[in-house]
Structures are given as C-alpha cells and as structure tokens.
Amino acid sequence: MSVVTIGLDLAKTVFQVHGVDEAGLTVLRRKLSRADMAAFFKKQPPCLVGMEACSSAHHWARLLVEIGHTVKLIPPQYVKPYVKRNKTDAADAEAICEAVAKPNMRFVPIKTKQQQAVLALHRVRSLLVRQRTATINALRGLLGEYGLIAGKGVRQLAILSERLATSDKTVVPDEAREALRCLFRHIDTLTDKLGEMEKRIVAWHKSNPDSQRLATAPGVGPITATAIVAAVGDGSQFKSSRHFAAWLGLTPRIRASGGKEKIGRISKGGDRYLRTLLIHGVRAVVGTTFRKDVTPRPWLKALVDRRPVNVASTAVAHKTARSIWAMLTRNEVYRRPSPLPMAA
C-alpha cells in the first residue's frame, strides 16, 4: 500500500518518519539522517506531510513543497494529546501523523524566507534590548555600592558616567573604575547595534505597503507593523478578528461547567513579542487621557475612569488587534470613527 500521510519528527541530525496508508494502517517507520532527507522524500509519491511548528520547520516545509508534497505545520501543544504513552521520536512522529489528518486541526502557515528575514531582525533587536537592559541593571547595582546613583531610564546613564569620571579615587578604586568603564563601553556598543537593527526594520517598513497601512492605526508604529506583517502575513489563517486577538493572548480565559461561566484574565497565549509591542504602543494612546493639551476620545476617557490603566491598555490593545486584522484582510487603512452628530 502507498503512503498517503507522513508524520515527520524534526531534529538536528536524526529524523523520524511515520507513514500510514488510506486505511490509516502503519506502513512506514524509519529513521533518517539529515543528509538522506531530501533524497528520501523525492522517492516518495506526493502525500500529506505533517510536522510540528518548531525550529527549522519552515525550512523543511518549503523544501518538501518544492519537491511536490503537501505540508502542514501543527502547533506542538496540539500534538501532545496524541502521544499515547512514552515520549520518543517514534511516538512523536506517530502522534503528528495522527493529528495532521484530523479535519478540525489548526495549522500554522508556512513562512517565506522574506518573512523569516524580517523576524530575524526583530529577534536580534529583542535580544539586544534584553542584553542592554541587563547590562544597565548590573552597572547601576555596582555604582550603587559606591554611592553613585541616578534616575531611571537610559538617558540617565550620561549622568552616571559623568559622576564616575569626576569621582575621587577614594570613592571608586581604580580596579572598579576600569570595570565600570568597560560596562559603559559595552552599553554604547549595544546601543549602536540596536540602532542599526531598527534602521533596517524601518527601511523594510517603508518598502512594504501592508506594513505602512498598519502603521496608520493609533499606537502602531513601524516596529509593531513590520513584526505583525512578518509573523501573520495577510491574516487569512484566522476566521475572525476575535480569533486573531485570541492568538495574540489578548482575550480572557473562560471556564464553563454545569451552565456556569467564569471569565478570568487574558490568556497570554500566542506570540508574547507581538502582544508586548501592541500593549506598549497602546500605552501611548491611553496616556493622552492624562495630558492637558490633548482632548481624549470620550470612550477612552470613560474606559480609563472606570478601569485601572493597565487593564484599560490591554482592552485597547484587544480593540487595536481586531482593527489590524480587518486592515490586513480587507487591504484598507485605519478609519477613524466619525464623531457623533450634535443633538438639535
């Protein structure tokens, strides 16, 4: 019997293959080395290949599609229930093979090389931000041991550097002074590299119409717009705007049993990086309600008055996510709501 469905468990060097026929009976179990992957699938007739959406999955998916197979990527958490007993490569491949054939299974779209290139810029940017933050925290802690402190924020580093330079040797010994200067130089290097990454992201944003269209929404800038376009594409994989917001982890957890329903906090599922960008961008919009030189929108003012700022920011981020999905799927720019007519 010919193989119609294959479950492929990915790894670095050794891959596990599990194939079934039209009746669902196992007809193929095999281990493959990395060098044998392409040759093996070229010999196989076109079939459905399922893989977990993990590291290198998009690379292998693009390769197998070029060969002629139909490839579907499954979120790993949706494969786990199909693992029958012990977790082995063979058991994982069998679970993938079973899960990919389910009609109600959810899949991850295969990303193009260009999408992954932009996401690589964002991953490097995120890494540089974390490294710079960690270095700044270490620097502040070490300087605090000698009584040198300053206010919060990256901009206050210049004050710390000046205080270190003007401090006497009796305050900061030469050994500590040289170590602290090394951290200052490291922060400057990270800042320069971070600026380079952001310039590349902005340059791609200016060349991409979808990203420019998303940037018309309040609280969405080039960083957020490019990250969403690279991660989501045209948004057609989501049935509705609520599904998109749920994928971002901005919808509340719901527990229902016996006719009773309890709505909790947001699920915080999906892509944490995109959710963070959206919420931080929306904070600038929510912050306008506290400025005297800006007239806030009535609905936003009412929301902030009855809810804490963080809760209001998350709610507005949910609203923005729904607008972003509509903009992606309909190829439209953000339409600001028209003001209500004055009563006669």
Side-chain angles (χ1 to χ4, degrees), residues 17 34 44 49-50 94 98 168 179-180 203 230 238 245 265 292 329:
V17 176
R34 189 179 186 91
Q44 294 294 324
V49 181
E94 183 180 358
E98 183 177 353
D168 190 74
L180 294 170
F238 302 103
R265 300 179 179 179
K292 297 181 180 180
T329 55

Side-chain angles (χ1 to χ4, degrees), residues 282-305 309 312-313 316:
V282 163
R283 286 180 187 275
V285 179
V286 175
T288 58
T289 59
F290 303 99
R291 293 174 55 182
K292 297 181 180 180
D293 57 336
V294 177
T295 302
R297 299 176 185 177
W299 67 268
L300 182 58
K301 179 64 175 175
L303 177 62
V304 175
D305 288 343
V309 174
S313 299
V316 178

Side-chain angles (χ1 to χ4, degrees), residues 198-209:
E198 292 181 347
K199 286 181 181 179
R200 289 182 176 272
I201 292 174
V202 172
W204 189 84
H205 164 75
K206 293 180 179 179
S207 64
N208 187 275

